Amino acid sequence: MLRKYLLAAAAIAACTIFPSITHASPIPAPASLPSYLQELTKRTPAMIIRTCTVPNSFAVTFDDGPGTFTNELLDYLDIKQIKVTFFVNGFNYNDINDPVISAAVKRAFAAGHQIASHTWSHADLANAATNIDEEMTKLDVVLKGLIGKRPVYMRPPYGNTSPSALEYLGEHGYKVVNWNVDTDDWQHPLDFKLNLKAYTNALQTNTAGKSFISLQHDAEPGTAQVFSKLAIEYVLSKGFNIMPVAQCLGDTDGWYRD
């Protein structure tokens, strides 16, 4: 009897010191990741966008600027009440920290044009030696200081990417935009007839249900002062609605991030 009593007492003591797992409080689950980290974990490599999705839309885009004559282009766009996209560099044709150039960026943004990234120094993102993080972040920081926002949209210099570049851009929330109308105006900057041929070739046949993203360079004086106007007038004559890239993709509020 004494032995049974001692065994029972020992069992009770054991239960007191080491509570049954069945009745123990559950182990608290780890705190959930912040929302922005959860979003990052869901992102996949960026896809390359080459055309619009909004019917009858035409996104006229400019690379490598602003240039010394971009303000003349902005004057014309103000008159026509047309909005476009500027894929800007930090240090290429010009230095974005130059007061004249930075003022053009701020003016374009204030007027409702889309400011997008074209990397800091126009580096080839397909080159393994390119520091993509530096190219993207350095320009983001400067643009944040100029317009209070960082771009979501970007264009890779030369249109070049690689699997690792697209993985980086996707993980960091960038949308990658190339084009389907290339004027090559940088190769023949004063041959406006040849530059316009890219537009006429694209729009002279049946364009029903089609949409376009064109490429030219406002850092080229001839484009900013003359060719851009010829191109825009031609697109309008064909009945297209000109708009920024983001808008032609149906994106109304995802152009920038803080």
Side-chain angles (χ1 to χ4, degrees):
M1 178 67 71
L2 179 59
R3 184 172 180 275
K4 289 182 179 180
Y5 174 79
L6 292 173
L7 288 173
I12 293 170
C15 289
T16 304
I17 299 172
F18 303 105
S20 167
I21 293 177
T22 303
H23 296 92
S25 299
I27 298 173
S32 60
L33 291 171
S35 59
Y36 73 92
L37 289 179
Q38 292 180 24
E39 187 179 357
L40 284 177
T41 62
K42 297 177 183 177
R43 286 176 178 154
T44 57
M47 301 295 291
I48 300 175
I49 300 165
R50 293 186 175 88
T51 188
C52 301
T53 58
V54 173
N56 204 47
S57 63
F58 199 119
V60 176
T61 73
F62 296 90
D63 284 13
D64 295 359
T68 52
F69 293 96
T70 297
N71 274 308
E72 290 192 26
L73 171 57
L74 291 172
D75 290 341
Y76 168 76
L77 294 172
D78 284 348
I79 293 170
K80 300 295 291 188
Q81 296 185 325
I82 287 173
K83 309 303 180 187
V84 301
T85 299
F86 292 97
F87 289 96
V88 304
N89 284 138
F91 192 82
N92 184 14
Y93 278 75
N94 298 284
D95 183 350
I96 200 169
N97 290 308
D98 179 290
V100 173
I101 302 303
S102 60
V105 174
K106 290 189 282 189
R107 177 187 172 186
F109 175 76
H113 301 291
Q114 182 181 7
I115 304 299
S117 175
H118 197 39
T119 76
W120 176 257
S121 67
H122 204 273
D124 188 345
L125 300 189
N127 187 334
T130 297
N131 186 331
I132 299 178
D133 185 67
E134 182 178 353
E135 285 290 326
M136 300 305 300
T137 303
K138 192 172 182 179
L139 181 58
D140 272 5
V141 169
V142 173
L143 289 176
K144 171 74 173 178
L146 291 177
I147 63 176
K149 303 284 185 181
R150 296 180 296 134
V152 167
Y153 288 76
M154 69 82 59
R155 172 169 286 161
Y158 317 104
N160 291 348
T161 57
S162 67
S164 60
L166 290 174
E167 182 176 352
Y168 172 91
L169 294 167
E171 287 178 351
H172 290 78
Y174 293 103
K175 294 184 180 180
V176 181
V177 179
N178 277 343
W179 56 85
N180 58 3
V181 176
D182 186 357
T183 63
D184 284 322
D185 59 334
W186 62 275
Q187 295 193 59
H188 27 75
L190 296 179
D191 192 337
F192 306 135
K193 183 177 180 180
L194 183 56
N195 295 344
L196 193 61
K197 191 173 180 60
Y199 281 86
T200 57
N201 286 345
L203 302 183
Q204 68 183 352
T205 56
N206 181 21
T207 58
K210 295 182 180 179
S211 58
F212 300 91
I213 301 174
S214 69
L215 165 62
Q216 43 269 309
H217 302 78
D218 60 309
E220 292 289 347
T223 293
Q225 294 179 297
V226 180
F227 171 63
S228 59
K229 303 170 187 178
L230 297 175
I232 287 171
E233 295 293 345
Y234 181 75
V235 171
L236 293 175
S237 76
K238 292 296 182 177
F240 282 88
N241 297 315
I242 298 175
M243 60 190 69
V245 162
Q247 187 177 346
C248 89
L249 295 169
D251 184 355
T252 58
D253 59 3
W255 300 21
Y256 305 101
R257 52 193 161 190
D258 292 332

